[in-house]
Amino acid sequence: MRRNVTSCSAWRLYVIVDRATAGARDLSALLEAALRGGADAIQLRDKQASATQLLRQAQRLLPLTRSAGVALLINDRVDIACAVGADGVHLGQDDLPIRKARAILGPGRLIGQSTHSLEQALAAQKQGADYIGFGPLFPTPTKPDARSVGLEQIAEVTSRVHLPVVCIGGIDAETLPRVVSAGARCIAVVRAVCDAEDPEAATRTLKRTLTQFVRTASPASL
Amino acid sequence: MRRNVTSCSAWRLYVIVDRATAGARDLSALLEAALRGGADAIQLRDKQASATQLLRQAQRLLPLTRSAGVALLINDRVDIACAVGADGVHLGQDDLPIRKARAILGPGRLIGQSTHSLEQALAAQKQGADYIGFGPLFPTPTKPDARSVGLEQIAEVTSRVHLPVVCIGGIDAETLPRVVSAGARCIAVVRAVCDAEDPEAATRTLKRTLTQFVRTASPASL
């Protein structure tokens, strides 16, 4: 257990608060809705922000996630995660290597990495990631260039990787049961919450479905 | 003296190796030309690069600047400066605050900040910068939105700020004598080297002119 936030092995629903997807919406309000709806982890992503903008945004969000006992991870910027005292970073394959990030962050913060194949997932584990993202499971406009990995790979990755695996990419309330049936225990969403008419209700529905299906699919894992 | 590189108080010519300005040119070749021409400090700037790309580029450049005893500073990304073991960072007004950067970098690396007014220059000094950039002195296509500060401010800033002041913004061989006459002791260039037909010759000419005029303008400072 790090910094009094829920351990990532207990995560079910990971919500990416993404500036590009949220558009004109206030990110603090969006985050609060996601927290009320039951999000277990939050990632702040804003690829277009200056460092100052991202720092200020993270400073606004951190007290909210802290109150809820939910981890706040910063996308890409290890320096900003450090500067704001966030719970960790989420790295893409083109971001800083995990070991370099760990040297800056120290052992007390979480590092996750997006992976798109079993090889990348195993490499992330070897390099000391605390969790991995795996996907995209479905084609998604958030990552138009990425080829989807396919649901059949979930079981292989979750059995070979001894870290929490956060499945991602085009998951919504409709596709979620298939994702859980394929072996997912934790999922991440962007559009399904950030672009929802009612982000709190959308989060709650996903969380409820997820908890229910994960229980049905694998009682032992709870 | 930090890390066996020339102290920033002795800098005369600071060359920004900028991906956007260099276009298709190889940055290592450009850097080597600048070093042969007599650059005293190098900043690597690539606003479009992923963290991995910037890290790799910096890893290619660092042995070259180390051999020359010249400081390599990374633009904006404090985490990448740390990861690569660069000599420091250069921060814009929209990048991480100096104190946050210092907490990550420690006392052994250089921090510079771009400033555009006397107030910003004094603030940077108060926050612990090792040097400041000051400009833009002239309108420059590299920063199309920036209002130029005017040569008459150089004397005020250099007298009020007790840090090395690196004047920047549209300086070339033609405008350089006026800049030195106005009180500049160190200048930074982007286009004048990165966009030059012969970057080594361009650097050498600037350095020679600079050394000569600074000597004429203020023998005591050498």
Side-chain angles (χ1 to χ4, degrees), chain A residues 50-53 55 59 76-80 82-84 92-97 100 104, chain B residues 50-53 55 59 76-80 82-84 92-97 100 104:
Chain A
S50 70
T52 298
Q53 288 169 330
L55 178 73
Q59 284 170 332
D76 177 17
R77 295 286 305 237
V78 177
D79 45 3
I80 292 171
C82 266
V84 77
Q93 290 288 322
D94 290 334
D95 296 336
L96 271 188
K100 298 283 190 188
I104 297 169
Chain B
S50 70
T52 297
Q53 288 169 332
L55 179 72
Q59 283 170 331
D76 176 18
R77 295 287 304 238
V78 177
D79 45 3
I80 292 172
C82 265
V84 77
Q93 291 288 323
D94 290 334
D95 296 336
L96 272 188
K100 298 282 190 188
I104 297 169

Side-chain angles (χ1 to χ4, degrees), chain B residues 11-12 15 20 28 38 40 42 46-48 96-97 105 124 129 137 169 172 206 208 216-217 221:
Chain B
W11 293 347
R12 289 288 171 266
V15 174
S28 299
D40 300 303
I42 300 286
D46 187 346
K47 291 287 195 187
Q48 298 309 312
L96 272 188
L105 285 170
L137 298 187
D172 55 27
L206 286 167
R208 192 187 304 126
T216 312
S221 77

Side-chain angles (χ1 to χ4, degrees), chain A residues 177-205:
Chain A
R178 282 193 285 145
V179 173
V180 174
S181 299
R185 294 293 166 267
C186 177
I187 64 142
V189 291
V190 186
R191 280 183 310 131
V193 168
C194 292
D195 199 28
E197 204 171 308
D198 182 341
E200 179 180 341
T203 308
R204 184 168 287 121
T205 301

Side-chain angles (χ1 to χ4, degrees), chain B:
Chain B
M1 190 79 107
R2 300 176 191 226
R3 301 181 142 261
N4 208 27
V5 296
T6 312
S7 157
C8 50
S9 58
W11 293 347
R12 289 288 171 266
L13 181 57
Y14 179 120
V15 174
I16 300 172
V17 173
D18 176 51
R19 174 82 279 164
T21 307
R25 283 182 171 181
D26 176 63
L27 295 193
S28 299
L30 193 55
L31 175 87
E32 287 180 307
L35 292 175
R36 285 193 304 270
D40 300 303
I42 300 286
Q43 181 193 132
L44 171 61
R45 183 165 79 184
D46 187 346
K47 291 287 195 187
Q48 298 309 312
S50 70
T52 297
Q53 288 169 332
L54 189 57
L55 179 72
R56 288 187 185 147
Q57 188 66 64
Q59 283 170 331
R60 279 191 288 267
L61 301 189
L62 191 61
L64 306 174
T65 55
R66 279 283 151 81
S67 297
V70 163
L72 178 67
L73 299 118
I74 308 296
N75 183 279
D76 176 18
R77 295 287 304 238
V78 177
D79 45 3
I80 292 172
C82 265
V84 77
D87 302 295
V89 290
H90 185 84
L91 304 171
Q93 291 288 323
D94 290 334
D95 296 336
L96 272 188
I98 292 169
R99 287 189 177 124
K100 298 282 190 188
R102 181 68 75 198
I104 297 169
L105 285 170
R109 295 181 206 276
L110 299 170
I111 299 180
Q113 190 176 41
S114 299
T115 68
H116 314 296
S117 66
L118 176 62
E119 277 173 345
Q120 288 182 350
L122 292 170
Q125 172 171 269
K126 194 173 170 189
Q127 287 160 37
D130 294 292
Y131 73 91
I132 61 158
F134 184 69
L137 298 187
F138 303 102
T140 165
T142 317
K143 301 269 182 183
D145 300 332
R147 207 166 57 115
S148 46
V149 294
L151 296 181
E152 64 283 359
Q153 283 198 62
I154 296 176
E156 191 177 12
V157 169
T158 53
S159 69
R160 298 273 305 273
V161 173
H162 311 297
L163 296 173
V165 176
V166 182
C167 291
I168 186 168
I171 304 171
D172 55 27
E174 193 188 332
T175 56
L176 183 53
R178 282 194 284 146
V179 172
V180 175
S181 299
R185 295 292 166 266
C186 176
I187 64 142
V189 291
V190 187
R191 281 183 309 129
V193 167
C194 293
D195 199 28
E197 203 171 310
D198 182 341
E200 179 180 341
T203 308
R204 185 168 288 120
T205 301
L206 286 167
K207 181 69 180 283
R208 192 187 304 126
T209 309
L210 194 54
T211 310
Q212 186 180 355
F213 274 84
V214 170
R215 189 175 291 128
T216 312
S218 166
S221 77
L222 300 171

